[in-house]
Amino acid sequence: GDNTSEEYTANVNVIPVNDKPTTETKYTFSVSENPSADEKLGSVTVSDVANEEGVDTYTFALVSEDAACTGCFVLTSSGDVKVKGSKTFDYYTKSSYTLTAKVTDDAKTEKNYGLTGNPETSKNFTIVINVKNQNHAPTISDQPFTLPEKNKTATGIVDWTSAKVVGTVSAKDVDNDNLTFKVVTADI
């Protein structure tokens, strides 16, 4: 028979498609109850497949904020998590805030090869910000106690003994710490 095939070498060029960037699923940071204005709490990071790192550019953004505190935190485009302006937090009112964020790459890897379409360019992740409980000073109000100068008894009027309880001082502490009391002014 006749030979109807011929051997040849073919070159196949594989053009990379953009892979979405990767990041941790959840980041956890802490904030004090009285942070400084625009205080940085930490940073989120991104990684990508080897051929895209150093080529693609990554930006971070908040997708949704905690409904209890919208406008309290900022995620910069470079990944810094900050308090937005001057804010105060109360551990006993809300001890943590949950934000949803995303990292997006510019799909430059595909654009360098002239490809079009809808490459996967972003990934959502969670940021949890825990409020650090700070010790609060106890509260106490003026508490007057009265005692007659002399003690009227069945046998007559006598001086009080030095161990006579005049009243009980009370105070409140939101941290439920054990409280101790001290007389700082004597001989009143």
Side-chain angles (χ1 to χ4, degrees), residues 46-168:
V46 63
S47 60
D48 211 340
V49 294
N51 67 311
E52 293 178 13
E53 286 187 353
V55 177
D56 291 347
T57 301
Y58 309 97
T59 55
F60 296 90
L62 288 179
V63 174
S64 65
E65 299 179 67
D66 193 299
C69 197
T70 58
C72 290
F73 303 101
V74 172
L75 174 61
T76 67
S77 61
S78 62
D80 290 338
V81 179
K82 296 180 172 186
V83 174
K84 185 175 184 179
S86 296
K87 301 283 187 270
T88 58
F89 304 96
D90 181 11
Y91 174 85
Y92 292 105
T93 301
K94 187 158 176 68
S95 61
S96 71
Y97 297 89
T98 301
L99 316 171
T100 301
K102 73 176 176 178
V103 59
T104 303
D105 75 27
D106 64 356
K108 194 169 185 178
T109 305
E110 286 189 351
K111 292 174 188 168
N112 285 349
Y113 290 97
L115 299 177
T116 59
N118 296 314
E120 292 189 60
T121 61
S122 65
K123 179 180 187 240
N124 285 6
F125 58 95
T126 301
I127 298 172
V128 175
I129 301 172
N130 294 318
V131 178
K132 292 185 276 186
N133 187 19
Q134 294 177 300
N135 189 34
H136 299 84
T139 57
I140 189 168
S141 58
D142 289 341
Q143 300 170 38
F145 299 100
T146 57
L147 184 67
E149 184 177 346
K150 298 285 185 174
N151 183 10
K152 187 176 183 180
T153 67
T155 59
I157 297 176
V158 295
D159 289 333
W160 292 100
T161 61
S162 63
K164 172 67 179 152
V165 175
V166 178
T168 303

Side-chain angles (χ1 to χ4, degrees), residues 183-188:
V183 176
V184 292
T185 305
D187 301 325
I188 302 180

